[in-house]
Amino acid sequence: MNHQARKGSISLLAGALLLASCAGFAHAVQANVEPAAKPVTMGKGLQQAKTYTVSSAPTEPLELATPKLPDLSGYTAEAIAAKIVRSKVGKISVRRMMQEDALKDFIGGDNKMAEWVVRQHGIPQAIFVDDGYMNLKDLAKKQPKYVIETAPGVYLAKLPIVVGRHGILEIDKQTQELRLSQEAGSFLVNDGQLFVRDTKITGWREKDNGPATFNSPKEFRPFLLAWGGTETYIANSKIASFGYANSKSYGVSISQYTPNMAKVLKRPEPTGWIVGSEFSDMWYGFYCYETRDFVVKGNTYKDNIVYGIDPHDRSHRLIIADNTVFGTKKKHGIIISREVNDSFIFNNRSYDNHLSGLVIDRNSVNNLIAHNEIYQNHTDGITLYESADNLLWGNKVLSNRRHGIRIRNSVNIRLYENVAMANGLTGVYGHIKDLTNTDRDIKLDPFDAQVSLIVVGGELAANGSGPLSIDSPLSVELYRVSMLAPTKSSGISFTGILGDRQDEILDLLVRQQKAVLIDPVERQTEMQD
């Protein structure tokens, strides 16, 4: 089913659920009772049992203005073209890869060196663009032995190509396709400025005379990497069959230098834009590390291996918007992980991915996740792991196999005007978990086993295990949440802490239309020696 057809099917689903809501409304309030004064005791696992009260809460603090999204109008192919400075012709040279800062991550040590020696049948070399501008077509003319024109506008690169610190390389429509040879160990490294426009770059398997399609995680495949201090711009292009499970070699990667080299080189964080392009059969479609102000807009990430879009460690002020991500084979469609802060993820579509559609992970805080369509993923729709202080606004989370929105070990999560419909388990699921015996490095990624939520507006409908389940929260506030079209004949059912006080919560929320606060109080019993 193509993307438009999928969107149509989701719209029809939403319409059907809304029609069914009229029938479900009769079950919405199971009892017309005043809130009981008695507290309820809940909790297990990491925390001592807590006693909770259910009460009405003031609504004014819960009112929140519609968040302002970044203006995307300036991030265009035309704006990228305007950034290219062609006034100074660059210099082309072929040099040994050793002792080059931009290549130390790949050439350091005997084991790494041996791989390139075997591939190049000699001392490893690379083509360098330095001190000015060079077009790929002109580069090929200067190095026809290593960048071979196999058909008009089609070039096969037999060596790595490195854009030097003061170099500018443009690969544009004069290049119909740039093929990076897998057998020869070709790849692209940007240490200056790289512009890819209206073209195609493919990891190429010469023995098959075709793309270097994925076989195994450890098999070398060509890749693109941009280091600290660089600018990388990709527009209206197709990139395919890149990357494997080796550091900085994931596919398209934007990364600050490794910590030891960063201290010496003192390069600023890298940046750039990727707009209107397509990425397929990549180990990671997009990866970044300690990157700032990068824009990923209006792209398609399809049938990639591990992740579609994966910003990582300490990247900040990112914009990830208007992208379509589907068919990721091993993990998530979109994930930000480890202190990716102050960023905007909006108007994306993420569906049919092997795990979650969208993940916020490992202390990534102060992010706005808005107006995304997350549907038909094979586990959760939107997942937050150990990441506090995030706002989810106006997302549509539909027909995912497990939970619609799952929140683990994360506090001050605000869910406003979201729709979670027809997910296999719970519409919104909040819980705590002990990660001691998992692969999570607690020293590197510390967290508190606590969860707290504010859920305002939106709709939680026809989810298989109910609308809401919250396990041992610090607090939960609910206001204006529509919970229609229950899947069970008995009507709406809550689980977790909400289940024990369901009648009171529904009376306040639905009949009285008040805000509900579920809050722990100190236990009345004292421990004896």
Side-chain angles (χ1 to χ4, degrees), residues 67-73 75 318-319 321 343-346 368:
K68 186 176 180 181
L69 297 170
D71 181 3
L72 299 179
S73 62
Y75 302 113
L318 309 178
I319 295 175
S343 296
F344 298 87
I345 304 174
F346 62 98
L368 174 60

Side-chain angles (χ1 to χ4, degrees), residues 491-505:
I492 289 171
S493 62
F494 293 149
T495 53
I497 178 62
L498 304 179
D500 287 71
R501 306 297 289 276
Q502 178 170 310
D503 292 347
E504 302 158 60
I505 292 167

Side-chain angles (χ1 to χ4, degrees), residues 448-479:
D448 293 320
Q450 298 175 334
V451 64
S452 67
L453 307 178
I454 297 174
V455 186
V456 176
E459 184 163 359
L460 308 176
N463 297 289
S465 299
L468 281 165
S469 177
I470 312 294
D471 172 31
S472 303
L474 287 178
S475 67
V476 180
E477 290 186 78
L478 308 173
Y479 181 47

